[in-house]
Amino acid sequence: ALRKGRRRKPMFTVKRLSDTANKGPNAMKNCLIVDDSRVIRKVSRHIVETLGFEVDEAADGQEALTKCDESMPDVILLDWNMPVMSGIEFLTKLRDRPDGRAPKVVFCTTENDVAHIREAIDAGADEYVMKPFDHDTLQIKLQLVGAA
């Protein structure tokens, strides 16, 4: 029985999105999805949002660099083959920046031979996932890089 005047400590607290605007320890992580396919960006966005990320999108590497200038994301899902600037070109330029080592980069591509995977890792990718991928596969990859 509870005594009058005493309140129980809540078992959990609910955070509102507005509480995570600053980059405190409980801030929502953000993910930049870089792919020239609008369909792939839409599917990826849905998966990543269900994992609790805020999402931004870019259609090519050049647009992605501009987005990184505006606000460096925590995670980048990166396509290999894109017009204007490829994923490898983007990754090389990103990693050359003073703050460019910070984001976790997961290459998402149809290229599955060992040479492509090695090139991506050498350029600074943290993980590699084959298209098409599903929710569980992407969640595992994000957990492997410490982002989910």
Side-chain angles (χ1 to χ4, degrees), residues 82-99:
M82 295 178 290
V84 185
M85 182 187 293
S86 72
I88 284 288
E89 288 176 86
F90 163 79
L91 185 55
T92 303
K93 290 179 187 246
L94 174 73
R95 294 305 196 206
D96 284 344
R97 294 172 170 220
D99 58 348

Side-chain angles (χ1 to χ4, degrees), residues 9-122:
K9 204 172 190 179
M11 293 176 66
F12 59 89
T13 57
V14 176
K15 287 227 176 269
R16 296 182 312 272
L17 286 178
S18 59
D19 294 338
T20 62
N22 61 355
K23 280 283 189 182
N26 296 321
M28 182 176 265
K29 291 188 174 184
N30 52 48
C31 177
L32 177 62
I33 298 171
V34 187
D35 200 301
D36 57 325
S37 165
R38 196 167 48 85
V39 173
I40 296 289
R41 289 196 311 269
K42 185 176 181 178
V43 170
S44 300
R45 171 185 279 274
H46 176 72
I47 292 171
V48 172
E49 284 179 341
T50 64
L51 295 173
F53 286 84
E54 288 181 357
V55 178
D56 200 0
E57 300 178 14
D60 61 65
Q62 187 59 56
E63 185 183 346
L65 284 176
T66 302
K67 300 264 184 183
C68 290
D69 286 339
E70 294 166 8
S71 176
M72 192 62 77
D74 299 303
V75 180
I76 299 172
L77 298 185
L78 183 61
D79 183 27
W80 190 289
N81 297 308
M82 295 178 290
V84 185
M85 182 187 293
S86 72
I88 284 288
E89 288 176 86
F90 163 79
L91 185 55
T92 303
K93 290 179 187 246
L94 174 73
R95 294 305 196 206
D96 284 344
R97 294 172 170 220
D99 58 348
R101 303 241 35 107
K104 299 295 183 183
V105 176
V106 178
F107 251 111
C108 304
T109 183
T110 56
E111 305 289 350
N112 67 346
D113 59 274
V114 176
H116 276 99
I117 296 170
R118 173 59 42 215
E119 185 179 356
I121 300 300
D122 288 348

